[in-house]
Amino acid sequence: MEWFYENNGQQTGPVSREEILRLIMQQRIRPETLVWTSTFGDSWRPASSAGLVSPLTGLVRPSAEISEHWAWALLVGPWIMGRVTLYIMDWRHVAEADRMNTMSVVSLLVLGLFFTAFFMDRNSIRETGATPPGFWWWLFLPGYFWRRRQITGRGRSLLVVSLVLLVFNIGDTLSRWPEIQQQVKHGHHLTSAPQDPAEGDGEQENL
């Protein structure tokens, strides 16, 4: 892939990616220097938003490939945390009341990991000069990984695994549906149960 860059107001190039990275390391091309390659269409971009220099660290990006580390953390990290927590509680025969408290804490941790990985993965795509999938795709991860594959040209495994996990989660929810309904009814019964009149009379006698 050939690159062009702005030098004292003049278009310079074409040069290879390796050459333009060498010029960046020599500080002859700064993060704000405009560069262009054929995938940019008619617009020139600063080196910091063209996948050449990381906007977070200011360091040269030697590879044009997009890392999938955060994508995998987004896909399997929260799922593993949730499943491991459920298995541990089943193994230790944790009472329902304690399960609710535990799952509340774990849910906060899962959400923190999910959105951290989501934002970092979108940023890793943005650093290459590409536009990441829209923010609202977090509501449907298979759609996010489908769009991600269209943009990056990679990530078939991510898309397949996301679909497998979706089917698994739906099947697991359906199999546990009677148990979930029972838990909901039990919680509703506890919150709506009337006070025992004898307990009220005892409290008045104590007063």
Side-chain angles (χ1 to χ4, degrees):
M1 182 181 292
E2 295 181 333
W3 288 78
F4 296 82
Y5 64 96
E6 181 187 20
N7 184 19
N8 295 324
Q10 299 294 322
Q11 174 181 307
T12 304
V15 297
S16 66
R17 181 181 175 86
E18 291 71 21
E19 175 65 15
I20 204 167
L21 291 176
R22 184 182 66 81
L23 294 173
I24 293 173
M25 295 180 67
Q26 295 176 350
Q27 296 188 351
R28 293 173 60 185
I29 293 180
R30 309 290 296 179
E32 63 273 13
T33 301
L34 295 177
V35 298
W36 182 89
T37 190
S38 57
T39 60
F40 292 175
D42 296 331
S43 61
W44 286 59
R45 302 180 183 179
S48 60
S49 62
L52 300 173
V53 181
S54 170
L56 295 180
T57 63
L59 300 177
V60 170
R61 294 178 58 89
S63 173
E65 293 186 354
I66 300 174
S67 172
E68 294 185 349
H69 295 156
W70 285 111
W72 281 109
L74 167 66
L75 178 58
V76 301
W79 187 85
I80 290 176
M81 287 179 63
R83 301 308 303 183
V84 168
T85 301
L86 289 175
Y87 290 144
I88 291 176
M89 289 193 298
D90 288 341
W91 174 59
R92 299 189 63 180
H93 304 289
V94 177
E96 289 298 330
D98 296 331
R99 283 181 178 236
M100 296 298 294
N101 295 331
T102 301
M103 289 306 298
S104 297
V105 175
V106 172
S107 296
L108 291 176
L109 296 176
V110 166
L111 283 175
L113 173 60
F114 179 90
F115 282 107
T116 298
F118 181 74
F119 285 120
M120 293 302 294
D121 185 59
R122 293 182 78 245
N123 188 72
S124 68
I125 297 173
R126 188 179 292 108
E127 285 184 352
T128 65
T131 301
F135 173 79
W136 292 107
W137 277 118
W138 70 268
L139 294 169
F140 185 63
L141 281 186
Y144 174 81
F145 290 114
W146 169 71
R147 284 290 298 134
R148 189 184 192 280
R149 186 167 185 265
Q150 285 186 323
I151 293 168
T152 65
R154 304 174 59 206
R156 181 179 180 182
S157 298
L158 287 164
L159 177 58
V160 171
V161 173
S162 69
L163 291 172
V164 170
L165 290 181
L166 176 63
V167 173
F168 177 86
N169 289 333
I170 292 174
D172 183 63
T173 301
L174 292 177
S175 66
R176 296 166 62 97
W177 186 247
E179 178 184 347
I180 295 173
Q181 285 183 313
Q182 185 177 1
Q183 292 176 0
V184 171
K185 290 180 180 178
H186 180 68
H188 178 71
H189 176 73
L190 291 177
T191 56
S192 61
Q195 185 181 13
D196 188 348
E199 294 180 359
D201 294 341
E203 292 178 358
Q204 291 179 0
E205 290 178 1
N206 290 335
L207 293 175

Coordinates of all heavy atoms in Angstrom, one line a residue, residues 42-129:
D42 N -11.2 10.7 -0.9 CA -10.7 12.0 -1.2 C -10.2 12.8 -0.1 O -9.7 13.9 -0.2 CB -11.9 12.8 -1.9 CG -12.4 12.2 -3.2 OD1 -11.5 11.5 -3.9 OD2 -13.6 12.3 -3.5
S43 N -10.3 12.2 1.1 CA -9.9 13.0 2.3 C -8.5 12.6 2.9 O -8.2 11.4 2.9 CB -11.0 12.8 3.4 OG -11.0 11.5 3.8
W44 N -7.8 13.6 3.3 CA -6.5 13.4 4.0 C -6.8 13.3 5.5 O -7.7 13.9 6.0 CB -5.5 14.5 3.7 CG -5.0 14.4 2.3 CD1 -5.7 14.5 1.1 CD2 -3.6 14.3 1.9 NE1 -4.9 14.4 0.0 CE2 -3.6 14.3 0.5 CE3 -2.4 14.2 2.6 CZ2 -2.4 14.2 -0.2 CZ3 -1.2 14.1 1.9 CH2 -1.2 14.1 0.5
R45 N -6.0 12.5 6.2 CA -6.2 12.4 7.7 C -4.9 12.7 8.4 O -3.8 12.4 7.9 CB -6.6 11.0 8.0 CG -7.9 10.6 7.3 CD -8.3 9.2 7.7 NE -9.5 8.7 7.0 CZ -10.1 7.5 7.2 NH1 -9.5 6.6 8.1 NH2 -11.1 7.2 6.6
P46 N -5.0 13.1 9.7 CA -3.7 13.2 10.5 C -3.2 11.8 10.7 O -3.9 10.9 10.8 CB -4.2 13.9 11.8 CG -5.6 14.5 11.4 CD -6.1 13.7 10.3
A47 N -1.9 11.8 10.9 CA -1.3 10.5 11.1 C -1.8 9.8 12.4 O -1.9 8.6 12.5 CB 0.3 10.6 11.3
S48 N -2.3 10.6 13.4 CA -2.8 10.1 14.6 C -4.1 9.4 14.4 O -4.5 8.6 15.3 CB -2.9 11.2 15.7 OG -3.8 12.2 15.2
S49 N -4.8 9.6 13.3 CA -6.1 9.0 13.1 C -6.1 8.2 11.8 O -7.1 7.8 11.3 CB -7.2 10.0 13.0 OG -7.0 10.9 11.9
A50 N -4.9 7.8 11.4 CA -4.7 7.1 10.1 C -4.2 5.7 10.4 O -3.8 5.0 9.5 CB -3.8 7.8 9.1
G51 N -4.1 5.3 11.7 CA -3.6 4.0 12.0 C -2.1 3.9 12.0 O -1.5 2.8 12.1
L52 N -1.4 5.1 12.0 CA 0.0 5.1 12.0 C 0.6 5.4 13.3 O 1.6 4.9 13.8 CB 0.5 6.1 11.0 CG 0.1 5.9 9.5 CD1 0.6 7.1 8.6 CD2 0.8 4.6 9.0
V53 N -0.1 6.3 14.1 CA 0.3 6.7 15.4 C -0.9 6.5 16.3 O -2.0 6.9 16.0 CB 0.8 8.2 15.4 CG1 1.2 8.5 16.8 CG2 1.9 8.4 14.4
S54 N -0.7 5.9 17.5 CA -1.7 5.7 18.5 C -2.1 7.0 19.1 O -1.2 7.7 19.6 CB -1.3 4.7 19.6 OG -2.3 4.7 20.6
P55 N -3.4 7.5 19.0 CA -3.8 8.7 19.7 C -3.7 8.7 21.2 O -3.7 9.7 21.8 CB -5.2 8.9 19.2 CG -5.7 7.5 18.8 CD -4.5 6.8 18.4
L56 N -3.7 7.5 21.8 CA -3.6 7.3 23.2 C -2.2 7.5 23.7 O -2.0 8.1 24.7 CB -4.2 6.0 23.7 CG -5.7 5.8 23.4 CD1 -6.1 4.4 23.9 CD2 -6.5 6.9 24.1
T57 N -1.3 6.8 23.0 CA 0.1 6.8 23.5 C 1.1 7.7 22.7 O 2.2 8.0 23.2 CB 0.7 5.4 23.5 OG1 0.7 4.9 22.2 CG2 -0.2 4.5 24.4
G58 N 0.7 8.0 21.5 CA 1.6 8.8 20.6 C 2.7 7.9 20.0 O 3.6 8.4 19.3
L59 N 2.6 6.6 20.2 CA 3.6 5.7 19.7 C 3.2 5.2 18.3 O 2.1 5.1 17.9 CB 3.8 4.5 20.6 CG 4.2 4.8 22.1 CD1 4.2 3.5 22.9 CD2 5.5 5.5 22.1
V60 N 4.3 4.8 17.6 CA 4.1 4.3 16.2 C 3.4 2.9 16.3 O 3.7 2.1 17.2 CB 5.4 4.2 15.5 CG1 5.3 3.4 14.2 CG2 6.0 5.5 15.2
R61 N 2.5 2.7 15.4 CA 1.8 1.4 15.3 C 2.5 0.7 14.1 O 2.2 0.9 13.0 CB 0.3 1.6 15.0 CG -0.5 2.2 16.1 CD -1.9 2.4 15.8 NE -2.5 1.1 15.4 CZ -3.1 0.3 16.3 NH1 -3.1 0.6 17.6 NH2 -3.6 -0.8 15.9
P62 N 3.4 -0.3 14.4 CA 4.1 -1.0 13.4 C 3.3 -1.9 12.5 O 3.6 -2.3 11.5 CB 5.2 -1.8 14.2 CG 4.6 -2.0 15.5 CD 3.7 -0.8 15.8
S63 N 2.1 -2.3 13.0 CA 1.2 -3.2 12.3 C -0.1 -2.6 12.0 O -0.6 -1.9 12.8 CB 1.0 -4.5 13.1 OG 0.1 -5.3 12.4
A64 N -0.6 -2.9 10.8 CA -1.9 -2.4 10.4 C -3.0 -3.3 10.9 O -4.2 -2.9 10.7 CB -2.0 -2.2 8.9
E65 N -2.7 -4.4 11.4 CA -3.7 -5.4 11.9 C -4.4 -4.9 13.2 O -3.7 -4.3 14.0 CB -3.1 -6.8 12.1 CG -2.7 -7.4 10.8 CD -2.2 -8.9 11.0 OE1 -2.2 -9.3 12.2 OE2 -1.9 -9.5 10.0
I66 N -5.6 -5.2 13.3 CA -6.4 -4.8 14.5 C -6.4 -6.0 15.5 O -6.7 -7.1 15.1 CB -7.9 -4.5 14.1 CG1 -7.9 -3.3 13.2 CG2 -8.7 -4.1 15.4 CD1 -9.3 -3.0 12.6
S67 N -5.9 -5.7 16.7 CA -5.9 -6.7 17.7 C -7.3 -7.2 18.1 O -8.2 -6.4 18.1 CB -5.2 -6.2 19.0 OG -5.3 -7.1 20.0
E68 N -7.4 -8.5 18.4 CA -8.7 -9.0 18.8 C -8.7 -9.3 20.2 O -9.7 -10.0 20.7 CB -9.0 -10.3 18.0 CG -9.2 -10.1 16.5 CD -9.6 -11.3 15.7 OE1 -9.5 -12.4 16.3 OE2 -10.0 -11.2 14.5
H69 N -7.7 -8.9 21.0 CA -7.7 -9.2 22.4 C -8.9 -8.7 23.2 O -9.6 -9.4 23.9 CB -6.4 -8.7 23.0 CG -5.2 -9.3 22.5 ND1 -3.9 -8.7 22.5 CD2 -5.0 -10.5 21.9 CE1 -3.0 -9.5 22.0 NE2 -3.7 -10.6 21.6
W70 N -9.2 -7.4 22.9 CA -10.4 -6.8 23.6 C -11.7 -7.4 23.1 O -12.7 -7.4 23.9 CB -10.3 -5.3 23.5 CG -9.3 -4.6 24.4 CD1 -8.2 -4.0 24.0 CD2 -9.3 -4.6 25.8 NE1 -7.5 -3.5 25.0 CE2 -8.1 -3.9 26.2 CE3 -10.2 -5.0 26.8 CZ2 -7.8 -3.6 27.5 CZ3 -9.9 -4.8 28.1 CH2 -8.7 -4.1 28.5
A71 N -11.7 -7.8 21.9 CA -12.9 -8.3 21.3 C -13.2 -9.7 22.0 O -14.4 -9.9 22.3 CB -12.8 -8.5 19.8
W72 N -12.2 -10.5 22.2 CA -12.4 -11.7 22.9 C -12.8 -11.5 24.4 O -13.6 -12.2 25.0 CB -11.2 -12.6 22.8 CG -11.1 -13.3 21.5 CD1 -10.2 -13.1 20.5 CD2 -11.9 -14.4 21.0 NE1 -10.4 -13.9 19.4 CE2 -11.5 -14.7 19.7 CE3 -13.0 -15.1 21.5 CZ2 -12.1 -15.7 18.9 CZ3 -13.6 -16.1 20.8 CH2 -13.2 -16.4 19.5
A73 N -12.2 -10.5 25.0 CA -12.5 -10.2 26.4 C -14.0 -9.7 26.5 O -14.7 -10.1 27.4 CB -11.6 -9.1 26.9
L74 N -14.4 -9.0 25.5 CA -15.8 -8.5 25.4 C -16.8 -9.7 25.3 O -17.8 -9.8 25.9 CB -16.0 -7.5 24.3 CG -17.4 -7.2 23.8 CD1 -18.1 -6.4 24.9 CD2 -17.4 -6.4 22.5
L75 N -16.4 -10.7 24.4 CA -17.3 -11.8 24.1 C -17.4 -12.8 25.2 O -18.5 -13.2 25.6 CB -16.8 -12.4 22.8 CG -17.6 -13.6 22.3 CD1 -19.1 -13.3 22.1 CD2 -17.0 -14.2 21.0
V76 N -16.2 -13.3 25.7 CA -16.3 -14.4 26.6 C -16.0 -14.0 28.1 O -16.4 -14.8 29.0 CB -15.2 -15.5 26.2 CG1 -15.5 -16.0 24.8 CG2 -13.8 -15.0 26.3
G77 N -15.4 -12.9 28.3 CA -15.1 -12.5 29.7 C -16.3 -12.4 30.6 O -16.4 -13.1 31.6
P78 N -17.3 -11.6 30.3 CA -18.5 -11.5 31.1 C -19.3 -12.8 31.2 O -19.8 -13.2 32.3 CB -19.4 -10.4 30.4 CG -18.4 -9.6 29.7 CD -17.3 -10.6 29.2
W79 N -19.3 -13.6 30.1 CA -20.0 -14.8 30.1 C -19.4 -15.8 31.1 O -20.1 -16.5 31.9 CB -20.1 -15.4 28.7 CG -20.9 -16.7 28.6 CD1 -22.2 -16.7 28.4 CD2 -20.4 -18.0 28.7 NE1 -22.6 -18.0 28.3 CE2 -21.6 -18.9 28.5 CE3 -19.2 -18.6 28.9 CZ2 -21.5 -20.2 28.5 CZ3 -19.1 -20.0 28.9 CH2 -20.2 -20.8 28.7
I80 N -18.1 -15.9 31.0 CA -17.3 -16.8 31.9 C -17.5 -16.4 33.4 O -17.8 -17.3 34.3 CB -15.8 -16.8 31.6 CG1 -15.6 -17.6 30.2 CG2 -15.0 -17.5 32.7 CD1 -14.2 -17.5 29.8
M81 N -17.5 -15.1 33.7 CA -17.7 -14.7 35.0 C -19.0 -15.1 35.6 O -19.2 -15.5 36.7 CB -17.5 -13.1 35.1 CG -16.1 -12.7 35.0 SD -15.9 -10.8 35.1 CE -16.5 -10.5 36.7
G82 N -20.1 -14.9 34.8 CA -21.4 -15.2 35.2 C -21.6 -16.7 35.4 O -22.2 -17.2 36.4
R83 N -21.1 -17.5 34.4 CA -21.3 -19.0 34.5 C -20.5 -19.5 35.7 O -21.0 -20.4 36.5 CB -20.8 -19.7 33.3 CG -21.5 -19.3 32.0 CD -23.0 -19.3 32.1 NE -23.5 -20.7 32.4 CZ -24.8 -21.0 32.5 NH1 -25.7 -20.1 32.3 NH2 -25.1 -22.2 32.8
V84 N -19.3 -19.1 35.9 CA -18.4 -19.6 37.0 C -19.1 -19.2 38.4 O -19.1 -20.1 39.3 CB -17.0 -19.0 37.0 CG1 -16.3 -19.3 38.3 CG2 -16.3 -19.6 35.8
T85 N -19.7 -18.0 38.5 CA -20.4 -17.7 39.7 C -21.5 -18.6 40.0 O -21.7 -19.0 41.1 CB -20.8 -16.2 39.6 OG1 -19.7 -15.3 39.4 CG2 -21.5 -15.8 40.9
L86 N -22.3 -18.9 39.0 CA -23.5 -19.8 39.1 C -23.0 -21.2 39.6 O -23.6 -21.8 40.4 CB -24.3 -19.8 37.9 CG -25.1 -18.6 37.5 CD1 -25.8 -18.8 36.1 CD2 -26.2 -18.3 38.6
Y87 N -22.0 -21.7 38.9 CA -21.5 -23.0 39.2 C -21.0 -23.1 40.7 O -21.2 -24.1 41.4 CB -20.4 -23.5 38.3 CG -20.9 -23.7 36.9 CD1 -20.2 -23.4 35.8 CD2 -22.2 -24.3 36.6 CE1 -20.6 -23.6 34.5 CE2 -22.6 -24.5 35.4 CZ -21.9 -24.2 34.3 OH -22.3 -24.4 33.0
I88 N -20.3 -22.0 41.1 CA -19.8 -22.0 42.5 C -20.9 -22.0 43.5 O -20.9 -22.7 44.5 CB -18.8 -20.8 42.7 CG1 -17.5 -21.0 41.9 CG2 -18.5 -20.7 44.2 CD1 -16.6 -19.9 41.9
M89 N -21.9 -21.2 43.2 CA -23.1 -21.1 44.1 C -23.8 -22.4 44.2 O -24.3 -22.8 45.3 CB -24.0 -19.9 43.7 CG -23.4 -18.6 44.0 SD -24.6 -17.2 43.9 CE -25.0 -17.3 42.2
D90 N -24.0 -23.1 43.0 CA -24.6 -24.4 43.0 C -23.8 -25.4 43.8 O -24.4 -26.2 44.5 CB -24.8 -24.9 41.6 CG -25.9 -24.1 40.8 OD1 -26.8 -23.5 41.5 OD2 -25.9 -24.1 39.6
W91 N -22.5 -25.4 43.6 CA -21.6 -26.4 44.3 C -21.7 -26.2 45.8 O -21.7 -27.1 46.6 CB -20.2 -26.2 43.7 CG -19.2 -27.0 44.5 CD1 -19.2 -28.4 44.6 CD2 -18.0 -26.5 45.1 NE1 -18.0 -28.8 45.3 CE2 -17.3 -27.6 45.6 CE3 -17.5 -25.2 45.3 CZ2 -16.1 -27.5 46.4 CZ3 -16.3 -25.1 46.0 CH2 -15.6 -26.2 46.5
R92 N -21.7 -24.9 46.2 CA -21.7 -24.6 47.7 C -23.1 -24.5 48.3 O -23.3 -24.3 49.4 CB -21.0 -23.3 47.9 CG -19.5 -23.3 47.5 CD -18.8 -22.1 48.0 NE -18.7 -22.0 49.4 CZ -18.1 -21.1 50.1 NH1 -17.6 -20.1 49.4 NH2 -18.2 -21.1 51.4
H93 N -24.2 -24.8 47.4 CA -25.6 -24.8 47.9 C -25.9 -23.5 48.6 O -26.4 -23.5 49.7 CB -25.8 -26.0 48.8 CG -25.5 -27.3 48.2 ND1 -26.2 -27.9 47.2 CD2 -24.5 -28.2 48.4 CE1 -25.7 -29.0 46.8 NE2 -24.6 -29.2 47.6
V94 N -25.6 -22.4 47.9 CA -25.9 -21.1 48.5 C -27.4 -20.8 48.5 O -28.1 -21.1 47.6 CB -25.1 -20.0 47.7 CG1 -25.5 -18.6 48.2 CG2 -23.6 -20.2 47.7
A95 N -27.9 -20.3 49.6 CA -29.3 -20.0 49.8 C -29.7 -18.9 48.8 O -28.9 -18.1 48.3 CB -29.6 -19.5 51.2
E96 N -31.0 -18.9 48.4 CA -31.5 -17.9 47.4 C -31.3 -16.5 47.8 O -30.9 -15.6 47.0 CB -33.0 -18.2 47.2 CG -33.4 -19.5 46.5 CD -32.8 -19.5 45.1 OE1 -32.6 -18.4 44.5 OE2 -32.5 -20.6 44.6
A97 N -31.5 -16.1 49.1 CA -31.3 -14.8 49.5 C -29.8 -14.3 49.4 O -29.6 -13.2 48.9 CB -31.7 -14.6 51.0
D98 N -28.9 -15.2 49.7 CA -27.5 -14.9 49.5 C -27.1 -14.9 48.0 O -26.2 -14.1 47.6 CB -26.6 -15.9 50.2 CG -26.9 -15.9 51.8 OD1 -27.2 -14.8 52.3 OD2 -26.7 -16.9 52.4
R99 N -27.8 -15.7 47.2 CA -27.5 -15.7 45.8 C -27.8 -14.3 45.2 O -27.0 -13.8 44.3 CB -28.3 -16.7 45.0 CG -27.8 -18.1 45.2 CD -28.7 -19.1 44.4 NE -28.2 -20.5 44.5 CZ -27.9 -21.2 43.5 NH1 -28.0 -20.7 42.3 NH2 -27.4 -22.4 43.7
M100 N -28.9 -13.7 45.6 CA -29.3 -12.4 45.0 C -28.2 -11.3 45.4 O -27.9 -10.5 44.5 CB -30.6 -12.0 45.6 CG -31.8 -12.9 45.2 SD -32.1 -12.9 43.4 CE -32.6 -11.2 43.1
N101 N -27.7 -11.4 46.6 CA -26.7 -10.4 47.0 C -25.4 -10.6 46.2 O -24.8 -9.7 45.7 CB -26.4 -10.5 48.5 CG -27.6 -10.1 49.3 OD1 -28.4 -9.3 48.9 ND2 -27.7 -10.7 50.5
T102 N -25.0 -11.9 46.1 CA -23.8 -12.2 45.3 C -23.9 -11.8 43.9 O -23.0 -11.2 43.3 CB -23.5 -13.7 45.4 OG1 -23.4 -14.1 46.8 CG2 -22.2 -14.1 44.7
M103 N -25.0 -12.2 43.2 CA -25.2 -11.9 41.8 C -25.3 -10.4 41.6 O -24.9 -9.9 40.5 CB -26.5 -12.5 41.3 CG -26.4 -14.0 41.2 SD -25.0 -14.6 40.2 CE -25.3 -13.9 38.6
S104 N -25.7 -9.6 42.5 CA -25.8 -8.1 42.4 C -24.3 -7.6 42.3 O -24.0 -6.7 41.4 CB -26.5 -7.5 43.6 OG -27.8 -7.9 43.6
V105 N -23.4 -8.1 43.1 CA -22.0 -7.6 43.1 C -21.4 -8.1 41.8 O -20.7 -7.4 41.1 CB -21.3 -8.2 44.3 CG1 -19.8 -7.8 44.2 CG2 -21.9 -7.6 45.6
V106 N -21.6 -9.4 41.4 CA -21.0 -9.9 40.2 C -21.5 -9.2 39.0 O -20.7 -9.0 38.0 CB -21.3 -11.5 40.1 CG1 -20.8 -12.0 38.8 CG2 -20.6 -12.2 41.3
S107 N -22.8 -8.9 39.0 CA -23.3 -8.2 37.8 C -22.7 -6.8 37.6 O -22.4 -6.4 36.4 CB -24.9 -7.9 38.0 OG -25.5 -9.2 38.1
L108 N -22.3 -6.1 38.7 CA -21.6 -4.8 38.5 C -20.2 -5.1 37.9 O -19.8 -4.3 37.1 CB -21.5 -4.2 39.9 CG -22.8 -3.6 40.5 CD1 -22.6 -3.0 41.9 CD2 -23.4 -2.5 39.6
L109 N -19.5 -6.1 38.4 CA -18.2 -6.4 37.9 C -18.3 -6.8 36.4 O -17.5 -6.4 35.6 CB -17.6 -7.6 38.7 CG -17.3 -7.2 40.1 CD1 -16.7 -8.5 40.8 CD2 -16.3 -6.1 40.2
V110 N -19.3 -7.6 36.0 CA -19.5 -8.0 34.7 C -19.8 -6.8 33.7 O -19.2 -6.7 32.7 CB -20.7 -9.0 34.6 CG1 -21.1 -9.2 33.1 CG2 -20.3 -10.4 35.2
L111 N -20.6 -5.9 34.2 CA -20.9 -4.7 33.4 C -19.6 -3.9 33.2 O -19.4 -3.3 32.1 CB -22.0 -3.9 34.1 CG -23.4 -4.4 33.9 CD1 -24.4 -3.5 34.7 CD2 -23.8 -4.4 32.4
G112 N -18.8 -3.8 34.3 CA -17.6 -3.0 34.2 C -16.6 -3.6 33.1 O -16.1 -2.9 32.3
L113 N -16.5 -4.9 33.2 CA -15.6 -5.6 32.2 C -16.2 -5.5 30.8 O -15.5 -5.2 29.8 CB -15.5 -7.1 32.6 CG -14.7 -8.0 31.6 CD1 -13.3 -7.5 31.3 CD2 -14.7 -9.4 32.0
F114 N -17.5 -5.6 30.7 CA -18.1 -5.6 29.3 C -17.9 -4.3 28.7 O -17.4 -4.2 27.5 CB -19.6 -5.9 29.5 CG -20.4 -5.8 28.2 CD1 -20.6 -7.0 27.5 CD2 -21.0 -4.6 27.8 CE1 -21.3 -6.9 26.3 CE2 -21.7 -4.6 26.6 CZ -21.9 -5.7 25.8
F115 N -18.2 -3.2 29.3 CA -18.1 -1.9 28.7 C -16.7 -1.4 28.5 O -16.3 -0.7 27.6 CB -18.9 -0.8 29.5 CG -20.4 -0.9 29.2 CD1 -21.3 -1.4 30.1 CD2 -20.9 -0.5 28.0 CE1 -22.6 -1.5 29.9 CE2 -22.3 -0.6 27.7 CZ -23.1 -1.1 28.6
T116 N -15.8 -1.8 29.5 CA -14.3 -1.5 29.3 C -13.8 -2.2 28.0 O -13.2 -1.5 27.2 CB -13.5 -2.0 30.5 OG1 -13.9 -1.3 31.7 CG2 -12.0 -1.8 30.3
A117 N -14.1 -3.5 27.8 CA -13.7 -4.2 26.7 C -14.3 -3.7 25.4 O -13.7 -3.6 24.3 CB -14.0 -5.7 26.8
F118 N -15.6 -3.3 25.5 CA -16.3 -2.7 24.4 C -15.7 -1.4 23.9 O -15.4 -1.3 22.7 CB -17.8 -2.5 24.8 CG -18.7 -2.0 23.6 CD1 -19.1 -2.8 22.6 CD2 -19.1 -0.7 23.7 CE1 -19.9 -2.3 21.6 CE2 -19.9 -0.2 22.6 CZ -20.3 -1.0 21.6
F119 N -15.4 -0.5 24.8 CA -14.8 0.8 24.4 C -13.4 0.6 23.9 O -13.0 1.2 22.9 CB -14.9 1.7 25.6 CG -16.2 2.3 25.8 CD1 -16.8 2.1 27.1 CD2 -16.9 3.1 24.9 CE1 -18.1 2.7 27.3 CE2 -18.2 3.6 25.1 CZ -18.7 3.4 26.4
M120 N -12.6 -0.3 24.5 CA -11.3 -0.5 24.1 C -11.2 -1.2 22.7 O -10.3 -0.8 21.9 CB -10.5 -1.4 25.1 CG -10.3 -0.7 26.5 SD -9.4 0.9 26.4 CE -7.8 0.3 25.8
D121 N -12.1 -2.1 22.4 CA -12.1 -2.7 21.1 C -12.5 -1.7 20.0 O -11.9 -1.7 18.9 CB -13.1 -3.9 21.1 CG -13.0 -4.7 19.8 OD1 -11.9 -5.2 19.5 OD2 -14.1 -4.8 19.1
R122 N -13.5 -0.9 20.3 CA -13.9 0.1 19.3 C -12.7 1.1 19.1 O -12.5 1.6 18.0 CB -15.1 0.9 19.8 CG -16.4 0.0 19.8 CD -17.6 0.8 20.2 NE -18.2 1.6 19.1 CZ -18.2 2.9 19.1 NH1 -17.7 3.6 20.2 NH2 -18.7 3.5 18.1
N123 N -12.0 1.4 20.1 CA -10.9 2.3 20.0 C -9.8 1.7 19.2 O -9.1 2.4 18.4 CB -10.4 2.8 21.4 CG -9.3 3.9 21.3 OD1 -9.6 5.0 21.0 ND2 -8.1 3.5 21.5
S124 N -9.5 0.4 19.4 CA -8.5 -0.3 18.6 C -8.8 -0.2 17.1 O -7.9 -0.1 16.2 CB -8.3 -1.7 19.1 OG -9.4 -2.5 18.7
I125 N -10.1 -0.3 16.7 CA -10.5 -0.2 15.3 C -10.3 1.2 14.9 O -9.8 1.5 13.8 CB -12.0 -0.6 15.2 CG1 -12.1 -2.1 15.6 CG2 -12.5 -0.4 13.8 CD1 -13.6 -2.6 15.6
R126 N -10.7 2.2 15.7 CA -10.6 3.6 15.3 C -9.1 4.0 15.1 O -8.8 4.9 14.2 CB -11.2 4.5 16.4 CG -11.4 6.0 16.1 CD -12.0 6.7 17.2 NE -13.4 6.4 17.3 CZ -13.9 5.7 18.4 NH1 -13.1 5.3 19.3 NH2 -15.2 5.4 18.5
E127 N -8.2 3.4 15.8 CA -6.8 3.8 15.7 C -6.2 3.4 14.4 O -5.2 4.0 13.9 CB -6.0 3.1 16.8 CG -6.1 3.8 18.2 CD -5.2 3.1 19.2 OE1 -4.6 2.1 18.9 OE2 -5.1 3.7 20.3
T128 N -6.8 2.5 13.7 CA -6.4 2.1 12.3 C -6.9 3.0 11.2 O -6.6 2.8 10.1 CB -6.7 0.7 12.0 OG1 -8.2 0.6 11.9 CG2 -6.2 -0.3 13.1
G129 N -7.7 4.0 11.7 CA -8.3 4.9 10.7 C -9.7 4.4 10.2 O -10.3 5.1 9.4

